[in-house]
Amino acid sequence: MTDARAALVDIEQTDGRVVIRVLASGSTTVAVVERVRDPKLHPHIPIGTRERQHLRMMLDDIPVHLDPGPGRYSRHSYRVVVEHEGHSYVYRPKTPDTSRLTRDGWRLGDFTITAKGELDADWHEEAAPEPVDVAIGYALGAAFGAGADFFLVSMLNLVDQADPGH
């Protein structure tokens, strides 16, 4: 896959592990998100869990602080925070189908899962994402998916699922 910012992005997903390789300017940046231990798996989460104690993230073999929200009833609960080299990255739902990546509060890009099941990035025109930004964005998108329903839609879906007449 080729990214719009002249970087080659390779996504490798296996059960419980996402590996992103970003080749740009002659160097490679690698981001890995993986399950550790034996969590209860949730099929709607690509990596299988959002429990921090069961996840590990590495950037170029250096541990990164990864803090996913529980992903329950509100969009805010689906956000994922990554701390790396003094920067705070936030990956949070923007629409039911799209999540936004910011670095230190500045918008970098939006990630969407296409109809073909591929992860697509739309970089903000004023953003100048570095290879590490690209790797983090794709890793979070591949591990946690993109988008989340509004609170009211989520609650209506819960009520509908609980209704024995359906």
Side-chain angles (χ1 to χ4, degrees), residues 3-5 94 100-101 103 106-110 121-130:
D3 188 73
R5 298 292 175 151
K94 176 184 164 198
R100 173 163 290 160
L101 178 68
R103 180 187 61 222
W106 295 94
R107 184 170 80 173
L108 291 175
D110 297 331
D122 181 23
W123 299 104
H124 183 57
E125 61 187 48
E126 295 177 14
E130 298 291 325

Side-chain angles (χ1 to χ4, degrees), residues 25 56 65 70 72 94 137 154 164:
S25 304
R56 174 175 51 201
H65 178 77
R72 296 238 166 77
K94 176 184 164 198
S154 295

Side-chain angles (χ1 to χ4, degrees), residues 124-146:
H124 183 57
E125 61 187 48
E126 295 177 14
E130 298 291 325
V132 69
D133 304 329
V134 174
I136 288 172
Y138 275 100
L140 297 178
F144 298 105

